[in-house]
Amino acid sequence: MLKVRLRSIDDLQHDMASLVAGILIVSYITRCTERAAAIFVSTIYCLAALPRTSDCLAATLSTRATDQTPPFIVDKLQSSQQSGTFTLDTRTVRRALLHVDLHANQGHSHGVRVEMQRIESPCGLQKVEDGRPRDHHKLRCAVHRSSLRAREVGKKLHAHGSKGTKAGDNLPGGTSAGGFTATVAAARGEYLATVRLGTPERVFSVIVDTGSDLTWVQCSPCGTCYSQNDSLFIPNTSTSFTKLACGTELCNGLPYPMCNQTTCVYWYSYGDGSLSTGDFVYDTITMDGINGQKQQVPNFAFGCGHDNEGSFAGADGILGLGQGPLSFPSQLKTVFNGKFSYCLVDWLAPPTQTSPLLFGDAAVPTFPGVKYISLLTNPKVPTYYYVKLNGISVGGKLLNISSTAFDIDSVGRAGTIFDSGTTVTQLAGEVHQEVLAAMNASTMDYPRKSDDSSGLDLCLGGFAEGQLPTVPSMTFHFEGGDMELPPSNYFIFLESSQSYCFSMVSSPDVTIIGSIQQQNFQVYYDTVGRKIGFVPKSCVGRG
């Protein structure tokens, strides 16, 4: 047993190097894990900082949930789940030991964490007259919303290169004409996060969307605003607020920059007819650091919306996590190094279960078995996270689909996208036909739910309480690694009809990996390293 006698702080600091060296030698001799060595080293560091020992030890000894068993029987291919292990880069610990004073001023070196809450769309909140459980109605709304988003992505890709649709001659707020509406995919992501803007800071709830770049909130005075739970952002109450000037790099980064005299104006029109327009502004954004300290970033550019039409599920605005120059990750690249990740809880989980959204070093996956795939560049549409998908297997058999069906074509259309704002995965037409045919052929033992109203193409019915179907395995073969889906990520159970429905639909040309298929994976984005990583993980709780 290793015993450490507490001495004075001066003595401990004097002996620090010897103690650390001794512990690492013992760890090597006894073949301790790197995790154990890191805990020993971190503990000694905590003892050297006695006023904060309790907090430090709590952070050192924290653990996470490691696995989750899907409620299905997978036929033909059984994927063995490795037990979760923990790794900790000892270089991080060494940096903390050597630069304790600097650590307090560089919270962003570890990153920030935001809890996302899944919200119902306005459609999903409509009253169900027949008194049945809401799941059918909610799923039908999600299918419709996802299909609409896919169509609008396709329209954007087809329309790119044209001059666009000219905006009205008299834009809101006295803006001079000369811009064009920038049609982007319908922003109906289902995950809500909080950010704090201004000085003094104010809290706002925004929809998290990897399919758009611009961050905006509703602002006062507001000519037209939809209803939201929080009060509007009031620019003249923030001492750090300022408007962007015309001709600045960020203003020119708007799809179609406009000016109101000398200040920058934005105009975003979403694919479903919703829009936001107003001043393009700077202010301080504040988030909570992993180390418990606030991370404040001045001069964050966002839209101060004075005319906002449509319904955004009662959110105060949008947090744009796309790849474009205006997005949150792009603007804070020097702070978070272009890194963020999320881990989405089950789509049918209660709203009290939140999904973590992490930025910076904290976003990097530490679980074993992470697969990394390269991000592709589509200069026609820089916002979306394109990847190379080579094929799809069902029941262990590679389907007869040309790899070009997943590719960006010569004019920038089609391709395969990761998108948290699309709920139900969209498969390009011919791809969906092959996948659906394989799923049908592999589930012939189960009756079809012919009267299903979910909007999905395949629903298996006739299940007694507690009975589970046997379904074929499904794998996405990306360039760089395979993504083996747990069955709950592609068959959704509907309590109201005791049926299981295949939760992927057909899209005109683009393939979008949606949030249901991403649930219970940690999905990691690295815009600097140009890659996406993913690893199975239980997303329940704060782990």
Side-chain angles (χ1 to χ4, degrees):
M1 180 183 297
L2 177 65
K3 294 184 178 180
V4 178
R5 180 171 59 90
L6 291 181
R7 303 163 64 192
S8 68
I9 293 177
D10 290 339
D11 290 338
L12 281 172
Q13 290 174 336
H14 181 270
D15 293 342
M16 184 65 65
S18 298
L19 285 170
V20 170
I23 288 169
L24 292 178
I25 291 171
V26 171
S27 298
Y28 173 78
I29 294 173
T30 58
R31 299 181 181 270
C32 289
T33 64
E34 185 180 358
R35 168 71 174 171
I39 290 177
F40 281 137
V41 174
S42 299
T43 302
I44 297 301
Y45 166 59
C46 293
L47 293 174
L50 287 176
R52 298 175 62 186
T53 296
S54 59
D55 292 340
C56 188
L57 288 175
T60 301
L61 300 175
S62 62
T63 58
R64 292 185 172 127
T66 59
D67 63 351
Q68 179 176 355
T69 303
F72 285 89
I73 303 168
V74 185
D75 193 20
K76 297 184 182 180
L77 278 185
Q78 292 286 344
S79 300
S80 61
Q81 294 187 354
Q82 292 179 315
S83 60
T85 59
F86 297 85
T87 59
L88 181 64
D89 189 346
T90 54
R91 290 172 296 179
T92 303
V93 178
R94 182 173 181 272
R95 183 168 62 245
L97 287 168
L98 296 178
H99 303 286
V100 175
D101 292 336
L102 195 60
H103 172 80
N105 296 321
Q106 292 190 338
H108 64 261
S109 67
H110 296 280
V112 302
R113 175 175 178 139
V114 179
E115 294 297 329
M116 298 189 297
Q117 183 176 16
R118 202 185 64 77
I119 54 172
E120 292 280 10
S121 69
C123 170
L125 289 173
Q126 291 177 1
K127 185 177 180 181
V128 181
E129 298 296 339
D130 58 11
R132 294 192 310 166
R134 190 187 299 274
D135 54 2
H136 261 86
H137 182 68
K138 184 169 69 171
L139 183 57
R140 185 168 64 248
C141 291
V143 170
H144 173 73
R145 187 171 61 253
S146 300
S147 297
L148 174 63
R149 188 173 175 98
R151 286 197 297 270
E152 293 307 326
V153 169
K155 286 180 183 178
K156 185 177 180 182
L157 297 174
H158 282 278
H160 202 281
S162 67
K163 293 185 177 180
T165 304
K166 195 166 187 285
D169 290 336
N170 296 305
L171 297 178
T175 306
S176 59
F180 298 85
T181 59
T183 301
V184 299
R188 288 297 182 274
E190 291 196 337
Y191 293 90
L192 201 67
T194 58
V195 296
R196 300 196 291 278
L197 296 169
T199 307
E201 63 192 46
R202 289 272 314 283
V203 177
F204 297 93
S205 298
V206 288
I207 293 173
V208 175
D209 188 13
T210 57
S212 62
D213 292 325
L214 182 69
T215 295
W216 60 265
V217 295
Q218 296 198 109
C219 287
S220 176
C222 200
T224 303
C225 275
Y226 59 85
S227 176
Q228 66 179 49
N229 294 327
D230 302 314
S231 52
L232 302 177
F233 180 77
I234 305 175
N236 60 14
T237 63
S238 173
T239 59
S240 49
F241 173 89
T242 185
K243 295 181 180 180
L244 267 77
C246 282
T248 57
E249 182 179 356
L250 282 172
C251 184
N252 291 336
L254 289 166
Y256 299 103
M258 298 179 290
C259 293
N260 182 8
Q261 297 180 351
T262 61
T263 58
C264 187
V265 173
Y266 77 94
W267 174 284
Y268 255 50
S269 174
Y270 291 92
D272 61 353
S274 300
L275 64 86
S276 177
T277 184
D279 296 314
F280 200 32
V281 304
Y282 283 131
D283 212 330
T284 297
I285 187 168
T286 302
M287 307 179 83
D288 291 324
I290 291 294
N291 58 5
Q293 297 179 343
K294 289 182 179 180
Q295 177 65 59
Q296 288 188 326
V297 180
N299 298 324
F300 174 69
F302 63 96
C304 191
H306 298 295
D307 190 344
N308 313 289
E309 300 177 14
S311 177
F312 292 86
D316 303 337
I318 301 289
L319 179 66
L321 296 184
Q323 289 196 85
L326 303 180
S327 73
F328 181 88
S330 295
Q331 288 194 58
L332 276 67
K333 186 175 294 184
T334 58
V335 180
F336 299 130
N337 298 317
K339 302 172 184 177
F340 71 93
S341 69
Y342 51 71
C343 195
L344 305 178
V345 298
D346 192 284
W347 186 69
L348 294 175
T352 53
Q353 291 186 5
T354 58
S355 300
L357 172 65
L358 302 115
F359 296 93
D361 292 346
V364 181
T366 57
F367 272 41
V370 183
K371 306 289 180 63
Y372 289 103
I373 57 179
S374 297
L375 278 173
L376 304 181
T377 299
N378 185 351
K380 299 292 186 181
V381 190
T383 297
Y384 302 128
Y385 291 95
Y386 286 92
V387 295
K388 171 67 173 172
L389 180 60
N390 292 326
I392 298 175
S393 290
V394 173
K397 181 180 179 181
L398 183 65
L399 300 182
N400 185 25
I401 304 171
S402 170
S403 62
T404 59
F406 306 106
D407 293 346
I408 304 169
D409 66 20
S410 59
V411 293
R413 296 192 295 257
T416 302
I417 300 168
F418 264 75
D419 179 33
S420 67
T422 299
T423 306
V424 178
T425 283
Q426 310 284 302
L427 300 176
E430 63 177 288
V431 177
H432 181 259
Q433 289 179 7
E434 290 290 332
V435 172
L436 186 62
M439 286 293 174
N440 262 311
S442 300
T443 56
M444 293 302 294
D445 292 341
Y446 301 105
R448 273 39 182 172
K449 196 72 177 177
S450 57
D451 61 343
D452 178 75
S453 59
S454 65
L456 296 174
D457 299 300
L458 172 62
C459 287
L460 312 177
F463 294 97
E465 184 175 356
Q467 184 181 1
L468 303 176
T470 299
V471 298
S473 61
M474 186 171 186
T475 303
F476 288 121
H477 300 290
F478 294 104
E479 187 81 26
D482 291 346
M483 189 177 198
E484 299 178 13
L485 298 177
S488 56
N489 283 27
Y490 54 96
F491 271 93
I492 293 180
F493 177 68
L494 297 176
E495 182 181 3
S496 57
S497 60
Q498 293 293 298
S499 61
Y500 288 87
C501 294
F502 179 62
S503 56
M504 299 184 192
V505 297
S506 179
S507 135
D509 51 13
V510 66
T511 292
I512 305 177
I513 311 300
S515 62
I516 289 180
Q517 280 62 52
Q518 297 179 47
Q519 67 190 16
N520 287 311
F521 279 86
Q522 183 178 2
V523 182
Y524 166 66
Y525 297 77
D526 183 351
T527 60
V528 174
R530 305 298 303 154
K531 60 186 177 182
I532 285 180
F534 51 83
V535 61
K537 180 181 179 182
S538 173
C539 299
V540 176
R542 298 184 59 85

